Amino acid sequence: MAVAMASSCSKFGLYGNLWEMEKLSNSRASPFFCSFGLDQLQLSCINPKKSLSSSMTTFIPKASPSTAVEGGSSQETDVVPTPIVIIDQDSDEDATIVEITFGDRLGALLDTMNALTSLGLNVVKADVYLDTSGKHNKFAITKASTGRKVDDPELLEAIRLTIINNLLEYHPESSVQLAMGAAFGITPPETVLTLSLSLMHACIIKEVDQDIATHIHVYDDGPEQSLLCVETADHPGLLVDLVKTITDINITVKSGEFDTEGLLAKAKFHVSNSGKALIKPLQQVLANSLRYYLRRPSTKEASF
């Protein structure tokens, strides 16, 4: 999946009493289209000269230890639910929507919101709703500097990794179902990850990708855009690398959604070339480029 969007925070109103989130009913915004920029940001968690997939020291904001489980339940059951993190750029015109689910184990996630604030973000709205899959914590996020939705792939990936890091911190049982957890074991990663993301990628792929097949499909989606769908094994930096791979072949990512479902990553991107849908040969080039990038490290070694 993989991404230029606008408006101010005033439309939402700051969510005043976060502890009342449990009372909010579910509501979904109507879809729209937006786009991801590729501007690099001078953030503490991002090296401005390298992509997240390169070797570097990465600073992931860590939640404060004020509460053990962020207000949720630490009670373990025999079945560990699948943690799900969704980053949605399509459904709201003015904000990036982030949704987090881990069965019914999550509380108000105040520490996660504080960690997101340290990335230079505002949580302008928060909702909680319940369904058969569990409790869904949903946030509308904007950049503090502009009041607009997040349009930088590196910052979007930093948001995703920050949320996953806090899941590992407060719910270590989620480790077995998260790529970062599979790499580090049940102990959550430290605030400063000195292991390069490319090395983490290699370790994760060797451990979990054996059971996760990669699927890439490109569909016609009207005269002005195509829909790219990717399912593959998750790893840190994946969102940034997908966007880079797509844009490197002169394809524009207009909008999208990136879902982390345990060890599986799912991306849906609306893409175009020169303002038009991709012709069949270009669809094939795109699919082949992504397959080449997503192939396992062992395949790379054997090809030389």
Side-chain angles (χ1 to χ4, degrees):
M1 346 155 239
V3 220
M5 329 163 221
S7 174
S8 67
C9 310
S10 60
K11 227 174 196 183
F12 293 93
L14 186 62
Y15 191 83
N17 189 349
L18 293 171
W19 290 104
E20 294 296 319
M21 288 165 51
E22 309 270 350
K23 299 179 181 179
L24 296 178
S25 61
N26 54 325
S27 62
R28 297 185 177 272
S30 58
F32 85 106
F33 296 111
C34 54
S35 64
F36 294 100
L38 285 169
D39 298 335
Q40 294 185 347
L41 302 177
Q42 298 280 352
L43 295 174
S44 60
C45 63
I46 299 171
N47 186 324
K49 296 183 180 180
K50 299 181 180 180
S51 76
L52 283 174
S53 62
S54 60
S55 176
M56 63 181 184
T57 299
T58 303
F59 295 85
I60 301 296
K62 195 173 184 179
S64 60
S66 57
T67 175
V69 290
E70 296 208 70
S73 171
S74 61
Q75 181 179 2
E76 293 189 13
T77 61
D78 292 337
V79 179
V80 177
T82 299
I84 299 174
V85 179
I86 297 173
I87 297 179
D88 179 7
Q89 293 286 71
D90 278 344
S91 64
D92 194 289
E93 186 173 298
D94 304 309
T96 297
I97 304 301
V98 175
E99 185 173 323
I100 310 167
T101 307
F102 187 45
D104 59 357
R105 303 188 183 198
L106 298 180
L109 300 184
L110 297 181
D111 290 280
T112 293
M113 284 188 276
N114 288 335
L116 294 174
T117 299
S118 70
L119 292 176
L121 303 168
N122 287 331
V123 180
V124 296
K125 186 177 181 181
D127 292 315
V128 171
Y129 68 91
L130 299 172
D131 62 17
T132 55
S133 64
K135 182 191 297 183
H136 299 255
N137 295 67
K138 196 171 183 178
F139 308 128
I141 297 174
T142 61
K143 293 175 65 174
S145 60
T146 64
R148 298 179 178 181
K149 68 194 308 177
V150 181
D151 59 0
D152 186 276
E154 293 198 0
L155 183 52
L156 290 168
E157 181 69 336
I159 291 169
R160 188 175 77 96
L161 297 184
T162 296
I163 293 169
I164 291 174
N165 185 66
N166 280 13
L167 272 172
L168 292 169
E169 170 71 14
Y170 291 100
H171 296 277
E173 72 273 19
S174 68
S175 173
V176 296
Q177 298 207 53
L178 287 167
M180 285 176 66
F184 287 96
I186 61 170
T187 303
E190 297 299 324
T191 303
V192 179
L193 305 176
T194 56
L195 183 64
S196 72
L197 287 171
S198 58
L199 178 57
M200 288 167 57
H201 178 191
C203 294
I204 293 166
I205 291 292
K206 288 178 181 177
E207 182 166 348
V208 306
D209 195 35
Q210 303 173 40
D211 299 321
I212 298 178
T214 294
H215 300 282
I216 300 169
H217 302 284
V218 185
Y219 304 99
D220 294 329
D221 190 26
E224 298 180 351
Q225 64 185 15
S226 299
L227 178 63
L228 167 66
C229 300
V230 180
E231 291 189 11
T232 191
D234 185 30
H235 68 260
L238 177 59
L239 190 155
V240 174
D241 289 339
L242 287 175
V243 175
K244 185 177 185 303
T245 301
I246 296 167
T247 56
D248 279 350
I249 55 176
N250 297 319
I251 293 175
T252 301
V253 181
K254 299 175 63 178
S255 64
E257 178 179 315
F258 192 97
D259 302 352
T260 306
E261 299 182 6
L263 299 173
L264 177 66
K266 296 181 178 181
K268 293 181 180 179
F269 294 118
H270 297 285
V271 296
S272 66
N273 176 248
S274 300
K276 297 180 180 179
L278 307 187
I279 61 175
K280 294 299 181 183
L282 188 53
Q283 290 183 12
Q284 190 62 53
V285 170
L286 174 59
N288 289 344
S289 297
L290 289 171
R291 287 191 184 96
Y292 180 82
Y293 159 67
L294 292 169
R295 74 196 193 285
R296 300 171 187 172
S298 57
T299 305
K300 293 180 182 180
E301 294 165 4
S303 63
F304 290 102

